[in-house]
Amino acid sequence: MTTNNDGSPLISAAGLREALASDRPPVLLDVRWQLGGPPGIEDYTLGHLPGAHFVALDQDLAAPAGPPGRGGRHPLPDPEEFGAALRRSGVSAGRPVVVYDGATSLAAARAWWLLRWAGHPEVRVLDGGFAAWQAAGLPVTTEVPEPAGGDFKPVPGQLPTVDGDGAAALARTGLLLDARAGERYRGESEPIDPRAGHIPGALSAPTTENVGPDGRFRPAAELAERFRALGAGERETAVYCGSGVTAAHQILALAVAGLPAALYPGSWSEWSSDATRPVAVTGQPG
């Protein structure tokens, strides 16, 4: 995994400013998005990092939603279509990439994970996103760059994934983390998917606990302590969420802590729509 000089897959606003002024500046991808919110392109149009290309999560970083029990709400994108979108944004195999969103890196982490899964060797996330860049007093623009001619061709499978059966097995023999809000894990609320609850045997680990109030990731040592207390590092680990977006954020946080994990792309949206899959609706399992 390509990281910053300090061993992290994150980059600070100051670090990005230096990288952009170097003789090998990164390609910038703006991945602002929020579930149920206005399209991220609206925020991008109002202002973005100079030279950044907008990437739409729902169209470029996911395939259309699958049928019940298959794929979930944000299936992994078709590699050819994904590659074409990246090349239009100037992504090449020999040039670094930095992705960012509004502040919390929830959407940016999806882009980071997909690029790494597709085999790009140099991808980092702007810690704190657009908000951190603005807070540092760095320039923004409304100028939209022309489509660029990158050469990156995805080679899928460079990061591990599990399917529903694999997630169920890890919940029994390894560690399966549920990255959704605690009330959704417990089954107290389910605003989106067909059934409330969680995969039996999974442990709750909300992504909101990965970052501070400013949206920046907690220090690596704190994240390592958090995840090791749940058993990460001792057992094979996988993560799921609602549809595979915030689970990528959890995997990014684990990577910051130096801990590996697989993604269950279909996540709860796939699991809960399959009536043959069991659901747990109580607190942490014994």
Side-chain angles (χ1 to χ4, degrees):
M1 176 181 299
T2 300
T3 61
N4 210 356
N5 289 336
D6 61 1
S8 172
L10 306 175
I11 187 169
S12 67
L16 177 55
R17 177 184 58 190
E18 293 178 7
L20 290 170
S22 72
D23 58 2
R24 194 165 170 263
V27 174
L28 297 179
L29 302 182
D30 185 310
V31 200
R32 278 180 279 183
W33 171 88
Q34 53 184 313
L35 181 64
I41 187 66
E42 295 182 7
D43 288 333
Y44 174 84
T45 301
L46 292 173
H48 50 267
L49 273 64
H53 293 261
F54 180 74
V55 176
L57 188 145
D58 288 319
Q59 288 77 42
D60 300 324
L61 305 183
R70 292 181 56 192
R73 282 184 280 111
H74 288 112
L76 298 184
D78 175 82
E80 290 300 320
E81 295 181 6
F82 178 53
L86 293 176
R87 290 190 292 274
R88 287 194 301 271
S89 298
V91 176
S92 293
R95 187 176 172 189
V97 177
V98 172
V99 296
Y100 71 90
D101 58 24
T104 62
S105 299
L106 287 175
R110 169 76 172 204
W112 168 84
W113 187 91
L114 281 171
L115 278 155
R116 297 290 298 121
W117 168 79
H120 198 288
E122 296 185 80
V123 190
R124 289 176 287 177
V125 172
L126 173 58
D127 194 16
F130 185 71
W133 183 264
Q134 281 191 305
L138 296 169
V140 299
T141 184
T142 58
E143 182 177 348
V144 177
E146 293 294 326
D151 64 17
F152 179 67
K153 296 183 179 180
V155 181
Q158 305 307 304
L159 289 184
T161 61
V162 296
D163 59 12
D165 290 341
L170 277 179
R172 296 190 300 268
T173 64
L175 177 64
L176 181 64
L177 298 179
D178 186 318
R180 299 172 300 157
E183 60 269 21
R184 292 184 69 191
Y185 169 85
R186 294 187 295 270
E188 298 165 1
S189 171
E190 182 46 68
I192 305 167
D193 293 314
R195 292 187 287 168
H198 61 268
I199 296 174
L203 298 183
S204 180
T207 54
T208 51
E209 297 178 18
N210 294 334
V211 298
D214 60 0
R216 298 178 192 178
F217 280 85
R218 292 163 57 186
E222 290 185 16
L223 291 170
E225 182 179 7
R226 178 194 185 204
F227 291 122
R228 288 190 184 279
L230 292 167
E234 300 175 1
R235 294 177 284 171
E236 186 179 357
T237 302
V239 185
Y240 75 97
C241 58
S243 65
V245 174
T246 56
H249 189 275
Q250 195 87 294
I251 292 173
L252 176 56
L254 283 155
V256 171
L259 299 167
L263 175 73
Y264 173 21
S267 284
W268 186 247
S269 57
E270 177 182 82
W271 183 282
S272 64
S273 64
D274 183 346
T276 68
R277 298 284 190 186
V279 168
V281 293
T282 55
Q284 296 279 16

